[in-house]
Amino acid sequence: MAIFVRLFFIIMILNSVSITCHSQYQNHIDSINTLNLKLKWWTDARFGMFVHWGLYSLAAGEWNGEVMHGNGYAEQINSNMKIPNAEYDQLASKFNPVDFNEEEWVNYAISAGMKYLIITAKHQDGFAMFHSKASNYNIGDATPYRKDPLLELSKAAHKAGLKFGFYYSNARDYHVAGANWNTHGNTWDFSKQTEDDFKNYYYGLVFDQVKELLTNYGKIDILWFDVPYKLTGQMSSDLRNQVLSLQPDCIINGRVGNNQGDYLSFGDNAIPDRSFESPWEACITMNDTWGYSKHDNNWKDYKQLLKLLIESVSKGGNLLLNVGPTGTGAFDKNATAILTNIGAWMKLNHRSIYNCTSAPATFRIPDKCMLTYNPEAKRLFIHLIDSQISELLLKGYKGKIKKACLLGDSSEVKIANVSIRPDEQEDDLVLILPKRSYNADLSVIELILY
């Protein structure tokens, strides 16, 4: 009898464990599905504008006639050149961006085919580009401008249907003594602080300003945090929870730290060498720096940037392309030319970017091409990196394609069997491309699949 009782209890325990494991697994699946639904607009968009703008834009890459040291970023000039806060703060008295036009900025983003815009609310210099009540070190109180450009920009973005978000430097602030406890603190103004000092800064100023951004500027679609050095898991989790308590639909980037973001954020100007199942984003500059520098003339060609966009989507990711406006609030003419050219290509080929992701492994990538794929529309897009291609061998594509055409002018692309190429396999196809009647650079073939 005792044996049967023990067996009974063992079976009950195993059933309980099984039910618990199943419940945990189901909760995990539900969590993934909820996140995917929350991110859907973002993964459909694929392309956004990053804007780095602040007091450093007025410095423009030099201080007292001396160009920044090395290859540092212009927005980090105060740390790069160890400028005392008392001197750096004088920029605020001169900061009067009379050329700022929120509708013009939004139009640049939309015309370039971008679906969301993220702007620096507070960078590592600690200066708030919004009218913050948590600190008087802000554009509304400390400058002759006396306005809140981020409020106007948020309104313009919402009105135009552009998704909108803020960059906020949460773990690094050169203007606050309490933030000086990690590897990259302001050692030229302050002595090294303790972790408790940092926590007072973090749970004080950071939380107060994040609350302002999520309370006073309408719907915020993304919060983009940065440099989470030495943040504990609890600190990252607490910040995430604060964001979601105020705006549950707000997306949080991976640099909030400790795996508390909704998507992966790769390093500056870096694109991974493979596809990821997890959502991810690359952030890329148009030249070498992020904030405006009059000395940085190493502008990337728009075709190079388009290739980075295509590559990102082909690996299942997003591209956030940066613009650094001048201290007066204007976009550099080189930046506007790049945006215009990208926009012209996007107008013809946007279907190969929006709602797209990496192609299934069953489709081999042709030579000198990249693939993007729209699973809902059952469309495969072949991006021709070589504009001289007139025939394209598709290995193993036979029986998978209904029709092919060029996105640029909708001209039909002839699909031929390999009988014209007897050295190939029977399940291969050859595409015969027509002469392109438009700019053939980065042409895209749309394949309608069975």
Side-chain angles (χ1 to χ4, degrees), residues 30-45:
D30 291 344
S31 177
I32 291 175
N33 290 338
T34 299
L35 177 59
N36 288 341
L37 184 62
K38 177 179 174 178
L39 286 172
K40 189 175 188 314
W41 74 260
W42 182 83
T43 53
D44 285 349

Side-chain angles (χ1 to χ4, degrees), residues 287-306:
N287 44 6
D288 290 333
T289 190
W290 299 82
Y292 175 71
S293 171
K294 61 186 176 183
H295 301 284
D296 182 5
N297 294 306
N298 190 28
W299 296 92
K300 298 178 179 72
D301 182 80
Y302 81 93
K303 296 173 192 174
Q304 179 184 356
L305 293 169
L306 275 172

Side-chain angles (χ1 to χ4, degrees), residues 192-207:
K192 189 174 177 65
Q193 305 294 306
T194 67
E195 185 172 354
D196 286 340
D197 293 324
F198 178 78
K199 286 182 177 179
N200 289 333
Y201 150 76
Y202 187 80
Y203 288 103
L205 180 63
V206 171
F207 271 58

Side-chain angles (χ1 to χ4, degrees), residues 187-248:
T187 57
W188 55 97
D189 274 319
F190 307 117
S191 60
K192 189 174 177 65
Q193 305 294 306
T194 67
E195 185 172 354
D196 286 340
D197 293 324
F198 178 78
K199 286 182 177 179
N200 289 333
Y201 150 76
Y202 187 80
Y203 288 103
L205 180 63
V206 171
F207 271 58
D208 289 345
Q209 289 191 328
V210 167
K211 182 178 181 180
E212 289 177 329
L213 293 172
L214 291 171
T215 303
N216 302 329
Y217 296 84
K219 190 176 188 302
I220 302 304
D221 299 292
I222 300 179
L223 264 181
W224 214 99
F225 295 109
D226 204 7
V227 291
Y229 298 114
K230 292 191 177 181
L231 289 184
T232 65
Q234 187 65 54
M235 295 171 80
S236 295
S237 176
D238 288 345
L239 187 54
R240 175 183 177 82
N241 290 337
Q242 190 213 25
V243 171
L244 298 183
S245 71
L246 295 168
Q247 294 212 29

Side-chain angles (χ1 to χ4, degrees), residues 107-372:
N107 287 336
Y108 277 132
I110 292 175
S111 297
M114 295 157 162
K115 294 291 189 177
Y116 57 104
L117 186 153
I118 299 171
I119 184 167
T120 46
K122 186 199 80 169
H123 209 272
Q124 293 156 25
D125 62 355
F127 187 78
M129 289 295 289
F130 61 102
H131 199 175
S132 173
K133 292 183 179 179
S135 167
N136 59 10
Y137 193 52
N138 71 77
I139 192 169
D141 293 323
T143 76
Y145 191 61
R146 297 290 177 181
K147 300 176 186 177
D148 190 333
L150 302 198
L151 180 61
E152 300 309 313
L153 188 61
S154 66
K155 289 178 180 178
H158 292 141
K159 182 179 179 181
L162 188 69
K163 298 290 186 178
F164 183 75
F166 293 118
Y167 167 108
Y168 186 88
S169 178
N170 52 317
R172 190 184 295 178
D173 189 320
Y174 297 122
H175 203 260
V176 179
N180 182 34
W181 79 290
N182 61 33
T183 310
H184 300 280
N186 179 348
T187 57
W188 55 97
D189 274 319
F190 307 117
S191 60
K192 189 174 177 65
Q193 305 294 306
T194 67
E195 185 172 354
D196 286 340
D197 293 324
F198 178 78
K199 286 182 177 179
N200 289 333
Y201 150 76
Y202 187 80
Y203 288 103
L205 180 63
V206 171
F207 271 58
D208 289 345
Q209 289 191 328
V210 167
K211 182 178 181 180
E212 289 177 329
L213 293 172
L214 291 171
T215 303
N216 302 329
Y217 296 84
K219 190 176 188 302
I220 302 304
D221 299 292
I222 300 179
L223 264 181
W224 214 99
F225 295 109
D226 204 7
V227 291
Y229 298 114
K230 292 191 177 181
L231 289 184
T232 65
Q234 187 65 54
M235 295 171 80
S236 295
S237 176
D238 288 345
L239 187 54
R240 175 183 177 82
N241 290 337
Q242 190 213 25
V243 171
L244 298 183
S245 71
L246 295 168
Q247 294 212 29
D249 293 329
C250 184
I251 297 170
I252 303 169
N253 77 317
R255 295 192 191 182
V256 69
N258 297 292
N259 298 313
Q260 291 298 310
D262 294 320
Y263 62 88
L264 301 174
S265 297
F266 287 96
D268 296 352
N269 293 303
I271 292 179
D273 58 3
R274 62 181 178 87
S275 299
F276 281 83
E277 290 186 7
S278 300
W280 63 270
E281 178 184 67
C283 52
I284 303 291
T285 60
M286 289 187 176
N287 44 6
D288 290 333
T289 190
W290 299 82
Y292 175 71
S293 171
K294 61 186 176 183
H295 301 284
D296 182 5
N297 294 306
N298 190 28
W299 296 92
K300 298 178 179 72
D301 182 80
Y302 81 93
K303 296 173 192 174
Q304 179 184 356
L305 293 169
L306 275 172
K307 288 176 184 177
L308 293 175
L309 171 61
I310 297 165
E311 182 182 357
S312 297
V313 179
S314 76
K315 295 175 179 177
N318 284 30
L319 182 71
L320 189 59
L321 182 60
N322 182 72
V323 178
T326 68
T328 67
F331 280 20
D332 187 282
K333 64 180 181 180
N334 293 286
T336 58
I338 288 171
L339 292 172
T340 299
N341 285 320
I342 288 176
W345 185 91
M346 285 290 288
K347 186 175 182 179
L348 295 174
N349 300 292
H350 61 269
R351 290 211 309 272
S352 69
I353 300 297
Y354 303 147
N355 311 304
C356 288
T357 187
S358 54
T362 51
F363 292 100
R364 294 178 60 177
I365 303 173
D367 292 339
K368 299 180 180 180
C369 297
M370 288 188 281
L371 299 181
T372 59

